[in-house]
PDB file of all heavy atoms in Angstrom:
ATOM      1  N   ALA A  14       8.062 -45.933 -38.542  1.00 62.00           N
ATOM      2  CA  ALA A  14       8.160 -44.541 -38.791  1.00 62.00           C
ATOM      3  C   ALA A  14       7.595 -44.224 -40.191  1.00 62.00           C
ATOM      4  O   ALA A  14       7.805 -45.080 -41.133  1.00 62.00           O
ATOM      5  CB  ALA A  14       9.592 -44.080 -38.737  1.00 62.00           C
ATOM      6  N   HIS A  20       0.822 -46.170 -52.996  1.00 82.00           N
ATOM      7  CA  HIS A  20       0.174 -47.327 -53.556  1.00 82.00           C
ATOM      8  C   HIS A  20      -1.078 -46.906 -54.257  1.00 82.00           C
ATOM      9  O   HIS A  20      -1.562 -45.777 -54.083  1.00 82.00           O
ATOM     10  CB  HIS A  20      -0.231 -48.387 -52.490  1.00 82.00           C
ATOM     11  CG  HIS A  20      -1.178 -47.883 -51.535  1.00 82.00           C
ATOM     12  ND1 HIS A  20      -0.886 -47.018 -50.486  1.00 82.00           N
ATOM     13  CD2 HIS A  20      -2.569 -48.067 -51.446  1.00 82.00           C
ATOM     14  CE1 HIS A  20      -1.950 -46.720 -49.798  1.00 82.00           C
ATOM     15  NE2 HIS A  20      -3.070 -47.334 -50.367  1.00 82.00           N
ATOM     16  N   GLN A  23      -8.630 -47.010 -55.068  1.00 97.00           N
ATOM     17  CA  GLN A  23      -9.768 -46.455 -55.633  1.00 97.00           C
ATOM     18  C   GLN A  23     -10.359 -45.426 -54.633  1.00 97.00           C
ATOM     19  O   GLN A  23     -10.651 -45.724 -53.604  1.00 97.00           O
ATOM     20  CB  GLN A  23     -10.829 -47.544 -55.908  1.00 97.00           C
ATOM     21  CG  GLN A  23     -10.391 -48.529 -56.983  1.00 97.00           C
ATOM     22  CD  GLN A  23     -10.453 -47.864 -58.422  1.00 97.00           C
ATOM     23  OE1 GLN A  23     -11.256 -47.036 -58.665  1.00 97.00           O
ATOM     24  NE2 GLN A  23      -9.541 -48.323 -59.273  1.00 97.00           N
ATOM     25  N   PRO A  43      -6.786  -8.405 -42.561  1.00 94.00           N
ATOM     26  CA  PRO A  43      -6.251  -9.717 -42.421  1.00 94.00           C
ATOM     27  C   PRO A  43      -6.820 -10.489 -41.209  1.00 94.00           C
ATOM     28  O   PRO A  43      -7.061 -11.760 -41.376  1.00 94.00           O
ATOM     29  CB  PRO A  43      -4.738  -9.434 -42.219  1.00 94.00           C
ATOM     30  CG  PRO A  43      -4.518  -8.182 -42.957  1.00 94.00           C
ATOM     31  CD  PRO A  43      -5.789  -7.331 -42.727  1.00 94.00           C
ATOM     32  N   VAL A  47      -8.899 -14.101 -41.573  1.00 96.00           N
ATOM     33  CA  VAL A  47      -8.440 -15.282 -40.954  1.00 96.00           C
ATOM     34  C   VAL A  47      -9.536 -15.877 -40.041  1.00 96.00           C
ATOM     35  O   VAL A  47      -9.847 -17.090 -40.155  1.00 96.00           O
ATOM     36  CB  VAL A  47      -7.161 -15.057 -40.080  1.00 96.00           C
ATOM     37  CG1 VAL A  47      -6.898 -16.298 -39.267  1.00 96.00           C
ATOM     38  CG2 VAL A  47      -5.974 -14.771 -41.036  1.00 96.00           C
ATOM     39  N   LEU A  49     -12.800 -15.494 -40.506  1.00 96.00           N
ATOM     40  CA  LEU A  49     -13.844 -16.084 -41.419  1.00 96.00           C
ATOM     41  C   LEU A  49     -13.372 -17.324 -41.992  1.00 96.00           C
ATOM     42  O   LEU A  49     -14.173 -18.290 -41.988  1.00 96.00           O
ATOM     43  CB  LEU A  49     -14.047 -14.956 -42.510  1.00 96.00           C
ATOM     44  CG  LEU A  49     -15.123 -15.411 -43.582  1.00 96.00           C
ATOM     45  CD1 LEU A  49     -16.505 -15.420 -42.947  1.00 96.00           C
ATOM     46  CD2 LEU A  49     -15.059 -14.515 -44.761  1.00 96.00           C
ATOM     47  N   ASN A  51     -11.124 -19.550 -40.883  1.00 96.00           N
ATOM     48  CA  ASN A  51     -11.111 -20.558 -39.941  1.00 96.00           C
ATOM     49  C   ASN A  51     -12.479 -21.146 -39.648  1.00 96.00           C
ATOM     50  O   ASN A  51     -12.597 -22.400 -39.494  1.00 96.00           O
ATOM     51  CB  ASN A  51     -10.350 -20.047 -38.676  1.00 96.00           C
ATOM     52  CG  ASN A  51      -8.919 -19.930 -38.815  1.00 96.00           C
ATOM     53  OD1 ASN A  51      -8.255 -20.494 -39.732  1.00 96.00           O
ATOM     54  ND2 ASN A  51      -8.337 -19.219 -37.902  1.00 96.00           N
ATOM     55  N   GLU A  63     -16.618 -36.375 -41.036  1.00 94.00           N
ATOM     56  CA  GLU A  63     -17.812 -37.109 -40.514  1.00 94.00           C
ATOM     57  C   GLU A  63     -18.322 -38.111 -41.568  1.00 94.00           C
ATOM     58  O   GLU A  63     -18.901 -39.085 -41.176  1.00 94.00           O
ATOM     59  CB  GLU A  63     -18.919 -36.081 -40.054  1.00 94.00           C
ATOM     60  CG  GLU A  63     -18.574 -35.364 -38.841  1.00 94.00           C
ATOM     61  CD  GLU A  63     -19.465 -34.212 -38.618  1.00 94.00           C
ATOM     62  OE1 GLU A  63     -20.486 -34.027 -39.443  1.00 94.00           O
ATOM     63  OE2 GLU A  63     -19.294 -33.403 -37.659  1.00 94.00           O
ATOM     64  N   GLY A  66     -14.333 -38.909 -45.146  1.00 94.00           N
ATOM     65  CA  GLY A  66     -13.315 -38.399 -45.992  1.00 94.00           C
ATOM     66  C   GLY A  66     -12.000 -38.101 -45.176  1.00 94.00           C
ATOM     67  O   GLY A  66     -12.032 -37.923 -43.957  1.00 94.00           O
ATOM     68  N   TYR A  71      -5.164 -27.695 -47.395  1.00 95.00           N
ATOM     69  CA  TYR A  71      -5.819 -26.444 -47.754  1.00 95.00           C
ATOM     70  C   TYR A  71      -4.898 -25.707 -48.649  1.00 95.00           C
ATOM     71  O   TYR A  71      -3.710 -25.715 -48.512  1.00 95.00           O
ATOM     72  CB  TYR A  71      -6.012 -25.579 -46.509  1.00 95.00           C
ATOM     73  CG  TYR A  71      -6.892 -26.253 -45.403  1.00 95.00           C
ATOM     74  CD1 TYR A  71      -6.306 -26.438 -44.116  1.00 95.00           C
ATOM     75  CD2 TYR A  71      -8.171 -26.619 -45.643  1.00 95.00           C
ATOM     76  CE1 TYR A  71      -7.024 -27.034 -43.102  1.00 95.00           C
ATOM     77  CE2 TYR A  71      -8.881 -27.229 -44.627  1.00 95.00           C
ATOM     78  CZ  TYR A  71      -8.357 -27.469 -43.303  1.00 95.00           C
ATOM     79  OH  TYR A  71      -9.110 -28.003 -42.331  1.00 95.00           O
ATOM     80  N   VAL A  77      -9.008 -29.584 -50.201  1.00 98.00           N
ATOM     81  CA  VAL A  77      -8.769 -30.719 -51.053  1.00 98.00           C
ATOM     82  C   VAL A  77      -8.813 -31.951 -50.138  1.00 98.00           C
ATOM     83  O   VAL A  77      -8.185 -32.027 -49.165  1.00 98.00           O
ATOM     84  CB  VAL A  77      -7.355 -30.686 -51.685  1.00 98.00           C
ATOM     85  CG1 VAL A  77      -7.072 -31.907 -52.582  1.00 98.00           C
ATOM     86  CG2 VAL A  77      -7.177 -29.442 -52.506  1.00 98.00           C
ATOM     87  N   MET A  79     -10.013 -36.479 -49.876  1.00 97.00           N
ATOM     88  CA  MET A  79     -10.158 -37.763 -50.619  1.00 97.00           C
ATOM     89  C   MET A  79     -11.108 -38.666 -49.795  1.00 97.00           C
ATOM     90  O   MET A  79     -11.084 -38.608 -48.558  1.00 97.00           O
ATOM     91  CB  MET A  79      -8.862 -38.505 -50.858  1.00 97.00           C
ATOM     92  CG  MET A  79      -8.162 -38.921 -49.595  1.00 97.00           C
ATOM     93  SD  MET A  79      -6.477 -39.578 -49.888  1.00 97.00           S
ATOM     94  CE  MET A  79      -5.488 -38.143 -49.667  1.00 97.00           C
ATOM     95  N   ALA A  93     -18.816 -38.846 -50.825  1.00 97.00           N
ATOM     96  CA  ALA A  93     -18.274 -37.590 -51.376  1.00 97.00           C
ATOM     97  C   ALA A  93     -19.521 -36.699 -51.813  1.00 97.00           C
ATOM     98  O   ALA A  93     -19.479 -35.479 -51.523  1.00 97.00           O
ATOM     99  CB  ALA A  93     -17.337 -37.776 -52.466  1.00 97.00           C
ATOM    100  N   LYS A 110     -26.024 -16.749 -40.212  1.00 97.00           N
ATOM    101  CA  LYS A 110     -25.361 -16.369 -39.003  1.00 97.00           C
ATOM    102  C   LYS A 110     -24.511 -15.140 -39.216  1.00 97.00           C
ATOM    103  O   LYS A 110     -24.607 -14.212 -38.418  1.00 97.00           O
ATOM    104  CB  LYS A 110     -24.477 -17.527 -38.544  1.00 97.00           C
ATOM    105  CG  LYS A 110     -23.551 -17.179 -37.356  1.00 97.00           C
ATOM    106  CD  LYS A 110     -22.610 -18.289 -37.053  1.00 97.00           C
ATOM    107  CE  LYS A 110     -21.631 -17.903 -35.984  1.00 97.00           C
ATOM    108  NZ  LYS A 110     -20.633 -16.904 -36.435  1.00 97.00           N
ATOM    109  N   TRP A 111     -23.785 -15.116 -40.278  1.00 96.00           N
ATOM    110  CA  TRP A 111     -22.925 -13.873 -40.491  1.00 96.00           C
ATOM    111  C   TRP A 111     -23.799 -12.630 -40.760  1.00 96.00           C
ATOM    112  O   TRP A 111     -23.438 -11.544 -40.325  1.00 96.00           O
ATOM    113  CB  TRP A 111     -22.032 -14.136 -41.716  1.00 96.00           C
ATOM    114  CG  TRP A 111     -20.979 -15.184 -41.506  1.00 96.00           C
ATOM    115  CD1 TRP A 111     -20.365 -15.508 -40.273  1.00 96.00           C
ATOM    116  CD2 TRP A 111     -20.459 -16.115 -42.409  1.00 96.00           C
ATOM    117  NE1 TRP A 111     -19.513 -16.535 -40.419  1.00 96.00           N
ATOM    118  CE2 TRP A 111     -19.523 -16.972 -41.727  1.00 96.00           C
ATOM    119  CE3 TRP A 111     -20.690 -16.412 -43.762  1.00 96.00           C
ATOM    120  CZ2 TRP A 111     -18.822 -17.929 -42.329  1.00 96.00           C
ATOM    121  CZ3 TRP A 111     -19.946 -17.398 -44.418  1.00 96.00           C
ATOM    122  CH2 TRP A 111     -19.090 -18.167 -43.705  1.00 96.00           C
ATOM    123  N   LYS A 117     -20.431  -6.431 -38.478  1.00 93.00           N
ATOM    124  CA  LYS A 117     -19.196  -7.287 -38.383  1.00 93.00           C
ATOM    125  C   LYS A 117     -18.698  -7.686 -39.735  1.00 93.00           C
ATOM    126  O   LYS A 117     -17.462  -7.756 -39.897  1.00 93.00           O
ATOM    127  CB  LYS A 117     -19.372  -8.415 -37.438  1.00 93.00           C
ATOM    128  CG  LYS A 117     -18.105  -9.290 -37.240  1.00 93.00           C
ATOM    129  CD  LYS A 117     -18.344 -10.438 -36.261  1.00 93.00           C
ATOM    130  CE  LYS A 117     -17.030 -11.295 -36.058  1.00 93.00           C
ATOM    131  NZ  LYS A 117     -17.241 -12.409 -35.124  1.00 93.00           N
ATOM    132  N   TYR A 149       0.839 -36.766 -46.737  1.00 81.00           N
ATOM    133  CA  TYR A 149       0.052 -37.898 -47.073  1.00 81.00           C
ATOM    134  C   TYR A 149      -0.970 -37.314 -48.097  1.00 81.00           C
ATOM    135  O   TYR A 149      -1.802 -36.491 -47.667  1.00 81.00           O
ATOM    136  CB  TYR A 149      -0.697 -38.491 -45.873  1.00 81.00           C
ATOM    137  CG  TYR A 149      -1.533 -39.758 -46.282  1.00 81.00           C
ATOM    138  CD1 TYR A 149      -0.858 -40.985 -46.475  1.00 81.00           C
ATOM    139  CD2 TYR A 149      -2.872 -39.655 -46.465  1.00 81.00           C
ATOM    140  CE1 TYR A 149      -1.688 -42.102 -46.791  1.00 81.00           C
ATOM    141  CE2 TYR A 149      -3.616 -40.762 -46.851  1.00 81.00           C
ATOM    142  CZ  TYR A 149      -2.996 -41.953 -46.964  1.00 81.00           C
ATOM    143  OH  TYR A 149      -3.709 -43.090 -47.278  1.00 81.00           O
ATOM    144  N   MET A 151      -2.749 -37.495 -52.456  1.00 94.00           N
ATOM    145  CA  MET A 151      -3.078 -38.254 -53.658  1.00 94.00           C
ATOM    146  C   MET A 151      -2.636 -37.640 -54.894  1.00 94.00           C
ATOM    147  O   MET A 151      -2.421 -36.387 -54.993  1.00 94.00           O
ATOM    148  CB  MET A 151      -4.639 -38.345 -53.733  1.00 94.00           C
ATOM    149  CG  MET A 151      -5.315 -36.945 -53.651  1.00 94.00           C
ATOM    150  SD  MET A 151      -7.160 -37.037 -53.720  1.00 94.00           S
ATOM    151  CE  MET A 151      -7.543 -35.319 -53.522  1.00 94.00           C
ATOM    152  N   ASP A 154      -3.986 -38.889 -62.649  1.00 95.00           N
ATOM    153  CA  ASP A 154      -4.888 -38.281 -63.649  1.00 95.00           C
ATOM    154  C   ASP A 154      -6.281 -38.084 -63.153  1.00 95.00           C
ATOM    155  O   ASP A 154      -6.931 -37.063 -63.351  1.00 95.00           O
ATOM    156  CB  ASP A 154      -5.006 -39.196 -64.937  1.00 95.00           C
ATOM    157  CG  ASP A 154      -5.796 -38.575 -66.003  1.00 95.00           C
ATOM    158  OD1 ASP A 154      -5.486 -37.430 -66.427  1.00 95.00           O
ATOM    159  OD2 ASP A 154      -6.705 -39.167 -66.452  1.00 95.00           O
ATOM    160  N   LEU A 165     -15.413 -25.650 -63.479  1.00 95.00           N
ATOM    161  CA  LEU A 165     -16.538 -25.689 -64.554  1.00 95.00           C
ATOM    162  C   LEU A 165     -17.816 -25.237 -63.906  1.00 95.00           C
ATOM    163  O   LEU A 165     -18.772 -24.876 -64.678  1.00 95.00           O
ATOM    164  CB  LEU A 165     -16.599 -27.098 -65.148  1.00 95.00           C
ATOM    165  CG  LEU A 165     -15.484 -27.601 -65.924  1.00 95.00           C
ATOM    166  CD1 LEU A 165     -15.751 -29.006 -66.394  1.00 95.00           C
ATOM    167  CD2 LEU A 165     -15.259 -26.682 -67.163  1.00 95.00           C
ATOM    168  N   SER A 176     -18.067 -36.077 -62.051  1.00 97.00           N
ATOM    169  CA  SER A 176     -17.801 -36.842 -63.282  1.00 97.00           C
ATOM    170  C   SER A 176     -18.755 -37.993 -63.394  1.00 97.00           C
ATOM    171  O   SER A 176     -19.524 -38.366 -62.546  1.00 97.00           O
ATOM    172  CB  SER A 176     -16.358 -37.327 -63.263  1.00 97.00           C
ATOM    173  OG  SER A 176     -16.239 -38.325 -62.266  1.00 97.00           O
ATOM    174  N   LEU A 184     -24.922 -43.399 -57.609  1.00 95.00           N
ATOM    175  CA  LEU A 184     -26.307 -43.893 -57.894  1.00 95.00           C
ATOM    176  C   LEU A 184     -26.486 -45.302 -57.450  1.00 95.00           C
ATOM    177  O   LEU A 184     -27.523 -45.644 -56.833  1.00 95.00           O
ATOM    178  CB  LEU A 184     -26.651 -43.677 -59.353  1.00 95.00           C
ATOM    179  CG  LEU A 184     -26.915 -42.217 -59.830  1.00 95.00           C
ATOM    180  CD1 LEU A 184     -27.027 -42.227 -61.302  1.00 95.00           C
ATOM    181  CD2 LEU A 184     -27.996 -41.552 -59.060  1.00 95.00           C
ATOM    182  N   LEU A 185     -25.461 -46.136 -57.689  1.00 94.00           N
ATOM    183  CA  LEU A 185     -25.594 -47.527 -57.211  1.00 94.00           C
ATOM    184  C   LEU A 185     -25.545 -47.666 -55.757  1.00 94.00           C
ATOM    185  O   LEU A 185     -26.061 -48.642 -55.129  1.00 94.00           O
ATOM    186  CB  LEU A 185     -24.475 -48.306 -57.848  1.00 94.00           C
ATOM    187  CG  LEU A 185     -24.526 -48.565 -59.383  1.00 94.00           C
ATOM    188  CD1 LEU A 185     -23.211 -49.272 -59.858  1.00 94.00           C
ATOM    189  CD2 LEU A 185     -25.760 -49.426 -59.730  1.00 94.00           C
ATOM    190  N   THR A 194     -28.288 -34.179 -62.393  1.00 95.00           N
ATOM    191  CA  THR A 194     -28.729 -33.639 -63.671  1.00 95.00           C
ATOM    192  C   THR A 194     -27.568 -33.714 -64.657  1.00 95.00           C
ATOM    193  O   THR A 194     -26.544 -33.104 -64.378  1.00 95.00           O
ATOM    194  CB  THR A 194     -29.154 -32.136 -63.539  1.00 95.00           C
ATOM    195  OG1 THR A 194     -30.222 -32.075 -62.672  1.00 95.00           O
ATOM    196  CG2 THR A 194     -29.620 -31.676 -64.882  1.00 95.00           C
ATOM    197  N   GLY A 203      -6.359 -29.425 -70.210  1.00 81.00           N
ATOM    198  CA  GLY A 203      -5.257 -30.484 -70.144  1.00 81.00           C
ATOM    199  C   GLY A 203      -5.702 -31.876 -70.622  1.00 81.00           C
ATOM    200  O   GLY A 203      -5.030 -32.846 -70.492  1.00 81.00           O
ATOM    201  N   GLY A 216     -30.107 -30.488 -52.529  1.00 58.00           N
ATOM    202  CA  GLY A 216     -31.180 -31.014 -51.698  1.00 58.00           C
ATOM    203  C   GLY A 216     -31.281 -32.452 -51.746  1.00 58.00           C
ATOM    204  O   GLY A 216     -32.284 -33.101 -51.165  1.00 58.00           O
TER     205      GLY A 216
END
Side-chain angles (χ1 to χ4, degrees):
H20 65 280
Q23 292 290 326
V47 169
L49 177 71
N51 284 342
E63 285 166 6
Y71 302 120
V77 181
M79 67 186 92
K110 171 185 174 293
W111 293 328
K117 179 178 180 180
Y149 183 82
M151 55 182 172
D154 184 57
L165 293 177
S176 68
L184 290 174
L185 291 174
T194 303

